[in-house]
Amino acid sequence: MWFVREGVTHNSITVVLRRQAAGGLGLSIKGGAEHKVPVVISKMFKDQVADQTGKLFVGDAMLQINGINVEHCSHEEVVHLLRNAGEEVTITVRYLREVPSFLKLPLGSPVPPADQSRRVSSPLFDSGLHLNGNSNNTAPSSPSSPSANEPKYEKRWLDAVSLPLLMARVSRYKAGTDKLRSNSFEVCALDGASINILQFCTAAESTDWLQAISTNISDLTLENMKMINRYCSPDDQIVHMGWVCENPQANDAGPSSTFKFLALRGPSLYVFRSPPVSATDWGQAETTYILYEVMFKVHKLWMAEDCWIQARFYLGLQQDEDLQDGEPFCFSILVGHGQSHTFSVETTADLAVWEKSFQTAVFMEVQRVGSKTYMCSSQGKVLCLTIDFGSGFTCSESSSKKILWRYKFSQLKGSSDDGKTRVKLLFKNSENKQIERKELEFSNLTAVLHCIHSFIASKVASVDPVFVNSQSISGKYMG
């Protein structure tokens, strides 16, 4: 990589340092090949040898020491070379355009005396004092009590805030808007009041920290779920819970977005304004839905990021219009009478967890209830349609309970509805192979259609041993 210093373009620079009796070379280093990072200058001591050259800078990567290539050397090997390089040391360095993230670790972290040898070889800490002694290899002074003439260690990071991450949330968006923050995101604690914005030098660094903090929050949430589930009945287990951002509908004149806390527990999907902490909080949900009567829908194909652009190309989608930087990962919960909630999450991993968890929760609830009966009508008669996990569809008279017809799930070949109350179900007769049409009217058609979908999906999943084995509630959610 080429770079410019003082108007001159170079890909490397060589300087000669003459070791001083007090202060040595006047620099500290971090890094090492054992951790797959370069050895770089991590600190320059003002008015000492390295600083006086005017040619070396913090972040420069070591290439050679007295003609010996050190690009693939460990931290301890570079320390050894610098300490034993004699009174005059020739150093060749390369400027790194992007500052290595490990340079931001604190200096001078205390180490017990017994660990001093490991301290020398650790790329996470500065090797400074033990480089800046004289050339006769005398033992360096203890970092905890340096002599008056030696540069002192300093701690560059101080604890400014401390946020508990249990049930905390993160967001890349500016509060109340759909505008992404630049190389930053906010972290909000459970109390909703402790909010801090974390700003980073690069987008990559911001993404790394976002994923790391999100993973930490997820792990804490899972442990909390396991603790709650130990004291709950098998029919009231929590499958998943966490923060999402609810996006407004097209005709909604309210706020642009609001944060909600969702929970998949037992037979219900819970929607909260804030996380439930106590047992009584679970009765304070903003709304609840019966799991098998709602539909989970991902807004678009989601996949590994490196496959997504190629998929869009084959689908003929326009890159500049349909794919924007930071486009949210969204899913919808479709409920009765055409109503829906649209939520977004921060990462593809979050979206994958919600999709898988919803499938799991619905599967478990369908298995538990076994069947569901809805009142309906046909040609003026009041009927009952029963959707049964084992036997399929059964239609009977409401008063006499006389069975009018019965079909297995596998016999359903198609359906259509008017979007209001009426549905047409097409079944294939197992004997004469003819298609038979059944027309029914429901007061809550959407819930019925979602229930049919949930039972059929669960039936299909039940014949997949891999899926069934992956739904073990006792191991995954109870610990």
Side-chain angles (χ1 to χ4, degrees), residues 81-350:
L81 282 173
L82 288 173
R83 289 186 62 190
N84 294 275
E87 295 299 321
E88 193 171 270
V89 185
T90 302
I91 299 177
T92 301
V93 299
R94 175 187 292 123
Y95 172 69
L96 298 182
R97 188 175 300 274
E98 185 170 331
V99 177
S101 59
F102 62 86
L103 269 181
K104 301 172 185 177
L105 291 172
L107 295 176
S109 298
V111 179
D115 292 338
Q116 289 298 329
S117 60
R118 287 190 296 173
R119 167 66 180 272
V120 171
S121 62
S122 172
L124 300 180
F125 298 103
D126 285 72
S127 295
L129 294 181
H130 50 275
L131 295 182
N132 297 326
N134 55 36
S135 59
N136 59 9
N137 296 332
T138 57
S141 302
S142 169
S144 61
S145 57
S147 69
N149 294 327
E150 291 176 327
K152 297 180 180 180
Y153 278 80
E154 64 180 61
K155 184 176 181 180
R156 287 187 287 179
W157 279 16
L158 297 175
D159 294 335
V161 295
S162 177
L163 285 178
L165 292 183
L166 178 61
M167 293 191 183
R169 64 170 170 82
V170 296
S171 176
R172 295 171 297 158
Y173 293 86
K174 296 180 180 178
T177 74
D178 57 358
K179 302 297 184 181
L180 279 172
R181 297 182 182 277
S182 177
N183 299 345
S184 65
F185 57 89
E186 71 174 19
V187 182
C188 180
L190 172 62
D191 60 13
S194 302
I195 302 176
N196 278 273
I197 309 300
L198 304 183
Q199 180 75 47
F200 300 89
C201 296
T202 66
E205 191 174 15
S206 177
T207 299
D208 287 345
W209 275 102
L210 175 68
Q211 292 175 345
I213 293 176
S214 296
T215 299
N216 190 294
I217 292 173
S218 298
D219 291 344
L220 291 171
T221 301
L222 181 58
E223 290 303 313
N224 191 40
M225 286 166 44
K226 289 179 178 180
M227 181 182 68
I228 296 173
N229 285 342
R230 291 192 190 103
Y231 302 99
C232 295
S233 68
D235 298 337
D236 196 31
Q237 299 288 295
I238 304 173
V239 174
H240 186 57
M241 60 184 184
W243 284 101
V244 296
C245 184
E246 183 170 16
N247 303 318
Q249 302 301 312
N251 57 354
D252 191 348
S256 59
S257 61
T258 55
F259 289 101
K260 297 296 175 66
F261 192 86
L262 304 187
L264 298 167
R265 182 175 185 178
S268 303
L269 165 66
Y270 293 80
V271 181
F272 296 94
R273 290 186 180 274
S274 58
V277 177
S278 65
T280 57
D281 289 342
W282 287 90
Q284 305 300 316
E286 186 177 74
T287 186
T288 60
Y289 299 104
I290 299 174
L291 274 171
Y292 54 75
E293 290 187 346
V294 299
M295 181 84 73
F296 181 98
K297 179 183 178 182
V298 175
H299 273 209
K300 64 187 179 185
L301 280 175
W302 69 271
M303 57 193 71
E305 188 174 348
D306 56 347
C307 299
W308 174 237
I309 295 178
Q310 184 177 6
R312 296 180 75 89
F313 174 80
Y314 285 116
L315 291 172
L317 300 178
Q318 296 297 318
Q319 296 288 339
D320 54 350
E321 295 179 2
D322 295 318
L323 184 60
Q324 302 293 330
D325 290 340
E327 188 175 13
F329 304 102
C330 296
F331 64 89
S332 288
I333 300 298
L334 309 180
V335 296
H337 304 292
Q339 297 176 341
S340 66
H341 297 274
T342 301
F343 302 107
S344 63
V345 291
E346 293 294 329
T347 66
T348 54
D350 293 334

